[in-house]
Amino acid sequence: MPDIRRARLAVSAAFALNGALLGAWASRVPAVRDRFELSEGALGLMLLVMGVGALLSFPLAGSMADRRGAYPVACLLACLYLLTIVAIGLAPVPLALAAALFAFGACHGAMDVAMNSWAAEVERTSGRSIMSSFHAMWSLGAGLGAGGGWLATRAGLSLDAHFALTALAVALVFGPLIRTRWDSRRSAPATKGPVFALPRGALVLVGVVALAAGLGEGAAADWSAVFLADVVGTTQSQAALGYAIFSATMVAMRLCVDGLITRFGPVATARAAGLFAALGTALVVGPATLPLTLAGYVLIGMGYAAVIPMAFSRAAADPDVPAGQAIASVATLGYGAMLVGPPAIGFLAELTSLRLALALVGAAALAITALAPVLGQGRGLPQGRTAAG
């Protein structure tokens, strides 16, 4: 019998490592833009390159995890991921930056698939719902990474120094914790899988819910600092606070999600989540003052915190599609929106305004409320102590 407590710590460390590197990147997007003198459209193109790298990595990572085991694949990808953020800091010209961002996105996306597959194994072995706690550790890592970005801007650290120090610190703190004894299941796929794993049947609507949540999380990661700096008019150090506050709220909420679902059920929880995210976005794009914008990111974090973990749990409980395939298909839409949505926001902002582009993201959050009943279907899902949906 594996040591579940040690395995949970190892998975949590992997999630935190993954989040910390993305948080560090997100906090320095304005600095990257200024260093290479990128317009909003050009920055959107760079983010698109990063998103394409992630999308192309999803089926490859899933296949590798099936053949070689989710745990060893997640560990290998963590090492490569650490190297890619250093490469971003060292990029001398925009073309090199694009190549580094492609690799960064690919390693981020591939590790995301592998570590979620590993987390599902640990969750099944434990016999109870713990997926939200792993995603809380991702948000904690993202908040720490963003907080480190704030400190780096305050200290006047260059991008290359900041990203190199981040990679070293993250490796030293989380690397030893990831090492554990875990025998991941291995299976060779019988047939060649599709280029993209897309949901089918009832999972299509679950995928749409994940897409709306991923779009909102991606917007907060890649555009919160730019919005604060350009629209609100803050300093770069203040701009880094938006994503840090969003991530801290995500951590706190994700630690409470399992209890909320047990009490109220996934449908009621999802309905409230969509409304909170939409209200928070309205606060951000409305008055555009620093206090109200930061308050908006608190509400946005409260809204999106529960959605992706619930979508994964619903996918794993689908009565018609095997859990691994179901999770991969929903992840393609959720994480695809998280990574490809931000460049689309950049292109739209170039044509209209960043405020309008982010307002449309908030409108999409209402789809979570409208489609909440699909998260209450499937086998073995908690429905709450009172009727929900």
Side-chain angles (χ1 to χ4, degrees):
M1 182 71 181
D3 185 345
I4 293 298
R5 293 181 63 182
R6 183 67 186 86
R8 286 189 65 176
L9 176 63
V11 175
S12 297
F15 272 72
L17 182 150
N18 187 280
L21 296 186
L22 189 67
W25 152 253
S27 70
R28 299 306 298 272
V29 170
V32 172
R33 179 200 58 188
D34 294 345
R35 177 177 175 179
F36 293 97
E37 300 180 347
L38 302 173
S39 67
E40 287 182 335
L43 177 59
L45 183 60
M46 290 294 181
L47 296 176
L48 178 61
V49 169
M50 187 172 78
V52 169
L55 284 176
L56 292 178
S57 76
F58 287 159
L60 297 176
S63 178
M64 287 176 61
D66 283 340
R67 293 197 307 268
R68 303 186 180 278
Y71 167 59
V73 170
C75 290
L76 172 63
L77 291 168
C79 295
L80 297 176
Y81 191 27
L82 288 165
L83 295 176
T84 59
I85 195 168
V86 176
I88 293 173
L90 295 175
V93 295
L95 184 60
L97 174 66
L101 286 174
F102 180 86
F104 182 78
C107 289
H108 169 78
M111 185 183 174
D112 227 325
V113 170
M115 72 186 186
N116 271 290
S117 297
W118 180 22
E121 293 177 359
V122 175
E123 183 178 50
R124 284 194 295 269
T125 304
S126 73
R128 61 193 186 96
S129 176
I130 55 176
M131 183 67 79
S132 292
S133 68
F134 295 140
H135 284 259
M137 293 302 101
W138 188 95
S139 298
L140 175 62
L144 291 173
W150 177 78
L151 291 174
T153 57
R154 294 280 292 180
L157 280 181
S158 63
L159 279 173
D160 52 353
H162 172 213
F163 286 164
L165 288 173
T166 296
L168 179 61
V170 167
L172 291 176
V173 172
F174 297 116
L177 298 177
I178 295 176
R179 294 177 59 87
T180 187
R181 298 179 63 183
W182 184 264
D183 185 19
S184 284
R185 289 180 293 179
R186 294 168 172 82
S187 61
T191 59
K192 185 177 179 181
V195 176
F196 296 107
L198 296 175
R200 63 181 188 270
L203 286 178
V204 171
L205 296 181
V206 179
V208 172
V209 170
L211 186 150
L215 182 62
E217 288 192 45
D222 288 329
W223 288 105
S224 59
V226 175
F227 183 87
L228 281 161
D230 290 1
V231 179
V232 182
T234 66
T235 64
Q236 282 201 7
S237 61
Q238 289 175 325
L241 291 175
Y243 188 62
I245 287 174
F246 168 82
S247 297
T249 305
M250 293 274 282
V251 173
M253 282 301 298
R254 281 178 167 168
L255 290 173
C256 302
V257 164
D258 288 330
L260 291 173
I261 294 173
T262 299
R263 182 173 178 81
F264 300 108
V267 176
T269 303
R271 282 175 174 159
L275 291 175
F276 272 109
L279 178 60
T281 304
L283 273 182
V284 169
V285 302
T289 64
L290 180 59
L292 288 178
T293 299
L294 295 181
Y297 278 115
V298 170
L299 291 177
I300 292 171
M302 291 175 65
Y304 290 126
V307 181
I308 291 292
M310 283 196 297
F312 282 169
S313 293
R314 165 61 182 87
D318 191 82
D320 302 317
V321 182
Q325 294 179 26
I327 291 174
S329 67
V330 170
T332 297
L333 291 187
Y335 290 137
M338 196 181 300
L339 294 160
V340 177
I345 292 170
F347 296 140
L348 183 59
E350 186 88 355
L351 295 174
T352 57
S353 70
L354 183 55
R355 179 177 279 172
L356 177 60
L358 293 180
L360 293 177
V361 173
L366 295 175
I368 298 170
T369 298
L371 297 176
V374 303
L375 298 182
Q377 301 167 7
R379 57 178 186 266
L381 288 171
Q383 296 303 316
R385 295 176 185 170
T386 59

